Amino acid sequence: MEIFENIIKLSSMMSVTGYEDYDDPYLREWLLDGFDSMEKDALRNRVLVKKCGRENAPKILIDTHFDEIGMYVREIHEGGFLSVVNVGGLDTRILQASDVMIYGKKKIRGVIASTPPHLASAESKGKLCPVDKLLIDTGYDKETLSELVSVGTPVGFAPKYTRLGEKMLAGKGFDNKACAACAISAILGTSREELAGDVYLLLSAHEETDRLGGVVCGAYRIEPDYAMVVDVNLGRTPDTPKHETVESGKGISVTLSAVTDRKLTARMIELAGEKDLPVQRIVSPDSTGTNAETLGLVRAGIPTVDVGLPLKSMHTYNEVLHLDDCVTLEKAVAAFICDKKTAEVFS
């Protein structure tokens, strides 16, 4: 299915925080024909613009952060092992024995070494090994590896993707490039005549490490009239609390929060109803955990709605999403950027 193909294509690109522009040539080749421009700033934010063709049109911002969790090389050891430090909120429970890609002078596959239970000390049994104590086994000797990799080289999960049943997909990097892919599909699939204003898609940097980073600079430069922040939301599984999660396959989430705009949020829920799009309302009183809470602090404040895509097993190498939710998100973004009523109120 095309939406899954686009998600895999985008999520396969390396974008560990600090290296968001690593695969820029492929991104440009894919997208530049469908947008009027694609610009990059000093923090590696990318801004893709599609204009409606009308003078003095409102500026509509769609923010989908582009960086992903990962690691940096800290030290190279004898036997072809690497020690690392984490970048972003890695789930240390799943790291051992996972497949990784090391982005040195060439791409190198590696496996995070795991101590066999037979050799585990009594003190270490049942305890998580800190990330900086783990070792990546590359299969190279130290001399050869040192020619290909240096301290600070980024490391990410290997891009492998698995279909689960007919409508689910598992793999790395869906946080947040799955949302970016849905937004891209929505914008490319909308004609200029349908747009309620000029659309600015911000592929923002630094979200996984600092929400006061990339999105602030990007939005300050764009000066949008109003915005939608699209990010993944915690997907529900049997072992998670209902009030902190959203169901996969039941539609997108819209956050009710003191840090988002009430009118814009209400209009988004109303718009979803008009388009017959399933929405799950969630309450996050003082923090959304996304860039939405930051946009209200840019310049004189940007009216913002926070929209989420349910994602299970977040921050692992096998995040899981549902096709129906991706289709709903694509339609929701398309409805938002075409909504003349919103443009009249906020421009």
Side-chain angles (χ1 to χ4, degrees), residues 116-259:
H118 319 71
L119 301 178
S121 64
E123 294 78 14
S124 65
K125 286 184 177 180
K127 295 181 180 179
L128 293 176
C129 182
V131 175
D132 58 1
K133 301 298 182 184
L134 293 172
L135 294 171
I136 298 175
D137 194 348
T138 68
Y140 288 83
D141 59 67
K142 183 180 181 181
E143 183 178 359
T144 303
L145 188 60
S146 297
E147 294 176 356
L148 300 172
V149 175
S150 59
V151 171
T153 294
V155 179
F157 292 127
K160 300 189 299 182
Y161 298 93
T162 306
R163 291 291 293 269
L164 302 177
E166 295 182 357
K167 290 193 172 184
M168 305 197 85
L169 183 67
K172 74 94 180 173
F174 297 156
D175 177 9
N176 188 40
K177 285 175 283 190
C179 293
C182 292
I184 287 168
S185 295
I187 297 168
L188 292 181
T190 303
S191 68
R192 297 181 189 276
E193 294 73 24
E194 295 175 287
L195 295 175
D198 295 337
V199 177
Y200 292 75
L201 175 62
L202 176 60
L203 304 179
S204 53
H206 289 221
E207 193 275 345
E208 295 294 357
T209 54
D210 180 11
R211 285 194 295 276
L212 293 176
V215 71
V216 171
C217 297
Y220 191 93
R221 180 180 181 183
I222 295 167
E223 292 189 79
D225 291 286
Y226 57 98
M228 172 191 283
V229 168
V230 190
D231 205 342
V232 292
N233 207 340
L234 296 167
R236 187 171 303 158
T237 54
D239 58 335
T240 57
K242 288 186 177 182
H243 69 280
E244 294 181 3
T245 56
V246 288
E247 287 193 71
S248 293
K250 300 294 184 180
I252 58 174
S253 66
V254 174
T255 302
L256 305 172
S257 175
V259 298

Side-chain angles (χ1 to χ4, degrees), residues 39-337:
E39 298 180 359
K40 180 173 67 173
D41 64 21
L43 278 181
R44 292 170 296 277
N45 292 307
R46 269 72 54 80
V47 180
L48 292 97
V49 183
K50 184 171 183 177
K51 295 194 173 183
C52 65
R54 300 185 299 275
E55 290 187 5
N56 301 316
K59 293 182 178 180
I60 306 169
L61 172 62
I62 306 295
D63 171 70
T64 60
H65 80 80
F66 198 75
D67 62 321
E68 63 181 321
I69 58 172
M71 294 159 273
Y72 291 165
V73 172
R74 188 184 69 171
E75 190 175 351
I76 303 170
H77 300 276
E78 294 293 340
F81 290 93
L82 300 172
S83 56
V84 294
V85 293
N86 67 299
V87 183
L90 281 173
D91 188 339
T92 55
R93 296 172 299 174
I94 52 82
L95 285 179
Q96 293 190 49
S98 61
D99 296 327
V100 296
M101 188 75 77
I102 303 140
Y103 294 90
K105 291 182 180 179
K106 72 173 186 177
K107 295 179 183 178
I108 300 172
R109 294 294 293 265
V111 175
I112 297 182
S114 177
T115 302
H118 319 71
L119 301 178
S121 64
E123 294 78 14
S124 65
K125 286 184 177 180
K127 295 181 180 179
L128 293 176
C129 182
V131 175
D132 58 1
K133 301 298 182 184
L134 293 172
L135 294 171
I136 298 175
D137 194 348
T138 68
Y140 288 83
D141 59 67
K142 183 180 181 181
E143 183 178 359
T144 303
L145 188 60
S146 297
E147 294 176 356
L148 300 172
V149 175
S150 59
V151 171
T153 294
V155 179
F157 292 127
K160 300 189 299 182
Y161 298 93
T162 306
R163 291 291 293 269
L164 302 177
E166 295 182 357
K167 290 193 172 184
M168 305 197 85
L169 183 67
K172 74 94 180 173
F174 297 156
D175 177 9
N176 188 40
K177 285 175 283 190
C179 293
C182 292
I184 287 168
S185 295
I187 297 168
L188 292 181
T190 303
S191 68
R192 297 181 189 276
E193 294 73 24
E194 295 175 287
L195 295 175
D198 295 337
V199 177
Y200 292 75
L201 175 62
L202 176 60
L203 304 179
S204 53
H206 289 221
E207 193 275 345
E208 295 294 357
T209 54
D210 180 11
R211 285 194 295 276
L212 293 176
V215 71
V216 171
C217 297
Y220 191 93
R221 180 180 181 183
I222 295 167
E223 292 189 79
D225 291 286
Y226 57 98
M228 172 191 283
V229 168
V230 190
D231 205 342
V232 292
N233 207 340
L234 296 167
R236 187 171 303 158
T237 54
D239 58 335
T240 57
K242 288 186 177 182
H243 69 280
E244 294 181 3
T245 56
V246 288
E247 287 193 71
S248 293
K250 300 294 184 180
I252 58 174
S253 66
V254 174
T255 302
L256 305 172
S257 175
V259 298
T260 53
D261 188 87
R262 294 200 306 274
K263 288 183 179 180
L264 191 58
T265 300
R267 177 55 189 159
M268 185 65 239
I269 294 172
E270 182 182 40
L271 188 59
E274 293 173 3
K275 302 295 183 180
D276 198 27
L277 302 176
V279 165
Q280 303 178 68
R281 302 187 189 197
I282 62 170
V283 178
S284 299
D286 55 4
S287 173
T288 64
T290 70
N291 281 339
E293 62 193 60
T294 305
L295 286 179
L297 305 176
V298 176
R299 291 189 180 271
I302 301 169
T304 303
V305 60
D306 183 271
V307 173
L309 177 68
L311 185 69
K312 295 184 287 188
S313 300
M314 193 183 298
H315 282 202
T316 72
Y317 57 81
N318 264 320
E319 298 174 324
V320 180
L321 48 74
H322 197 289
L323 172 64
D324 290 349
D325 298 330
C326 298
V327 172
T328 298
L329 178 57
E330 179 183 354
K331 291 179 178 179
V333 173
F336 184 78
I337 61 178

